[in-house]
Amino acid sequence: MKTAVVVLLVAMVAAVSASECDMLARLNVKSQWMRAYSHGRDREHFAEAIWRAVFAQVPEARSLFERVGGDDTSSAKFIGHAMRVLAGLDISINLLDQPDALKAQLEHLHHQHDERHIPARYYQALDRALMHVLPAQLGRCFDKEPWKACFHDILDGIKG
Amino acid sequence: DCFREPEHQRRLQSVGHPKMLRILLVLGLAAFCVAKTPVSHCCSAEDRHIVQKQWHTLFDYMEHSSKLKIQFGEILLLKLAEAKPEVKEAFKRVNIDHPESGEFASHSVRILDALDMVINLLDHPEALNEALEHLAHQHHGRAGVKKEHFKLLGEQLINEELPRVLDEYDLMSWKACMHGILSGIAADVPA
């Protein structure tokens, strides 16, 4: 009986910590991101991989990016945009452990996206793209549960 | 470009003028390049790599601690506001009057990340130009924002802040590359 209770408790703790963006999950996500984000050309390729994965899922989303060279993800114009997006994500992920600053950052991003009327499935496509490109970048060091939990919070903040 | 002279020199030597004259000419050219143009166009490949490497040691360190990142960004902006009180107006929207606020913290980090973005694009001139043009556009029309503010911000960063936190620091490389970056961002604001 006692063992059953312990097992149940452990299972509950595991379930809770797996689906929640708590402080440990945030630190985990931060350190994974740091490694995936990388530098220079590697970062450009990382960004391009994410956007190709997005456009492969929702090709019609390209039209939203006409102004920033969305028809060619390798163009300098689009790379410039893709780096801005990653910088926005970098800031948000970095601030996961600074609730007030994170809130302000997400409000800023929300404000930038609000009037573009982006369908929810585009955000889902970005979510799914990251969940595929990140493990490609990090190998088995990618930890899915904390990412899912914390990145959902970030996306919700941007969607508002 | 100042350091891509060898071919040019070789051509001069093959022309067959007196040796002394050639040397003087080359020295004169070099001196002109160093003195007259304030190293602005001399962000050479080596300069870029030095800047990137040195910046990464700092930025990676700050990525471990968002508090450090926030504080470094805040110091930059608050020092600028101290020297040029009129810029406070431009940062009112991000609550500079309450530097401890989340708004000001996140804005400080945004500025550092923009800098990180352009430094990481230094090896990709077309994309760098796109990024700089976008930043220039974002600063265009901001009330009270002037070129001299960017100049001062750059000077404080290059001469004071960075040397204090970087063990390895090459002032000339930073000067050479930051000049182009800052004048790119300040392209659309009044002098």
Side-chain angles (χ1 to χ4, degrees):
Chain A
M1 184 60 196
K2 218 173 185 177
T3 341
V5 172
V6 172
V7 168
L8 187 69
L9 276 177
V10 169
M12 276 172 69
V13 169
V16 168
S17 61
S19 55
E20 210 188 309
C21 182
D22 59 9
M23 200 40 92
L24 279 184
R26 284 163 197 248
L27 292 177
N28 190 345
V29 165
K30 274 172 64 122
S31 71
Q32 288 180 60
W33 171 257
M34 251 190 73
R35 278 210 280 160
Y37 193 39
S38 65
H39 296 298
R41 287 286 171 144
D42 287 345
R43 188 183 293 176
E44 290 176 37
H45 297 151
F46 174 54
E48 202 184 340
I50 293 171
W51 283 106
R52 283 188 175 176
V54 169
F55 293 145
Q57 298 172 72
V58 283
E60 67 278 16
R62 271 187 204 266
S63 61
L64 277 176
F65 299 90
E66 238 163 46
R67 199 178 49 86
V68 290
D71 51 329
D72 177 8
T73 53
S74 313
S75 65
K77 217 173 178 141
F78 192 75
I79 294 288
H81 174 76
M83 299 320 274
R84 283 195 288 282
V85 173
L86 282 201
L89 278 183
D90 180 58
I91 296 165
S92 312
I93 292 166
N94 241 277
L95 294 178
L96 277 170
D97 58 352
Q98 305 289 331
D100 290 347
L102 176 64
K103 192 167 162 273
Q105 166 66 6
L106 292 179
E107 271 165 20
H108 179 85
L109 291 177
H110 170 67
H111 179 70
Q112 286 182 328
H113 288 83
D114 199 20
E115 57 207 28
R116 295 185 203 276
H117 307 293
I118 300 165
R121 63 199 170 85
Y122 290 5
Y123 286 106
Q124 271 167 24
L126 175 65
D127 193 2
R128 227 175 284 141
L130 257 170
M131 292 312 135
H132 279 83
V133 177
L134 280 168
Q137 192 89 338
L138 295 168
R140 60 183 179 162
C141 297
F142 174 65
D143 216 346
K144 193 174 184 178
E145 294 306 324
W147 259 106
K148 266 167 88 177
C150 293
F151 196 61
H152 278 172
D153 285 3
I154 288 175
L155 279 184
D156 283 346
I158 299 173
K159 280 189 278 185
Chain B
D1 282 328
C2 289
F3 300 108
R4 281 191 215 125
E5 294 288 74
E7 209 182 304
H8 186 50
Q9 285 177 26
R10 248 179 277 126
R11 238 185 295 129
L12 275 175
Q13 275 159 8
S14 65
V15 176
H17 284 303
K19 208 175 189 176
M20 205 49 208
L21 188 67
R22 290 198 305 262
I23 291 172
L24 276 177
L25 186 65
V26 170
L27 280 178
L29 269 175
F32 178 79
C33 190
V34 172
K36 187 71 184 166
T37 49
V39 288
S40 61
H41 63 291
C42 293
C43 179
S44 67
E46 184 64 12
D47 282 334
R48 298 198 296 266
H49 295 153
I50 288 171
V51 164
Q52 286 177 331
K53 201 174 143 226
Q54 294 179 350
W55 171 256
H56 291 160
T57 49
L58 176 66
F59 197 77
D60 287 356
Y61 194 68
M62 293 192 296
E63 293 260 290
H64 284 289
S65 161
S66 43
K67 270 206 171 132
L68 272 180
K69 206 173 180 182
I70 290 170
Q71 277 164 2
F72 191 82
E74 286 185 349
I75 285 172
L76 279 182
L77 297 183
L78 290 174
K79 276 186 88 171
L80 178 68
E82 201 184 319
K84 304 266 170 193
E86 70 266 25
V87 304
K88 277 202 164 186
E89 201 55 43
F91 292 115
K92 260 231 158 79
R93 206 175 44 87
V94 292
N95 216 352
I96 195 170
D97 292 327
H98 298 96
E100 69 290 347
S101 65
E103 286 99 335
F104 192 62
S106 69
H107 190 74
S108 305
V109 174
R110 278 199 288 279
I111 286 179
L112 278 189
D113 259 64
L115 192 56
D116 177 63
M117 174 177 69
V118 288
I119 288 174
N120 271 283
L121 285 173
L122 277 174
D123 276 334
H124 192 168
E126 301 90 0
L128 175 67
N129 280 342
E130 290 295 335
L132 289 176
E133 267 173 35
H134 188 87
L135 287 170
H137 182 72
Q138 285 184 323
H139 288 91
H140 175 71
R142 289 265 161 95
V145 179
K146 291 183 196 153
K147 281 198 169 63
E148 57 166 320
H149 299 149
F150 288 91
K151 194 166 175 259
L152 184 63
L153 183 80
E155 280 168 4
Q156 286 178 338
L157 181 70
I158 291 168
N159 297 326
E160 290 165 36
E161 270 73 326
L162 287 174
R164 282 174 67 197
V165 289
L166 288 174
D167 287 337
E168 265 185 75
Y169 184 65
D170 285 83
L171 177 68
M172 292 314 280
S173 299
W174 275 93
K175 260 193 179 167
C177 294
M178 282 304 286
H179 188 276
I181 289 175
L182 288 172
S183 42
I185 299 174
D188 295 345
V189 305

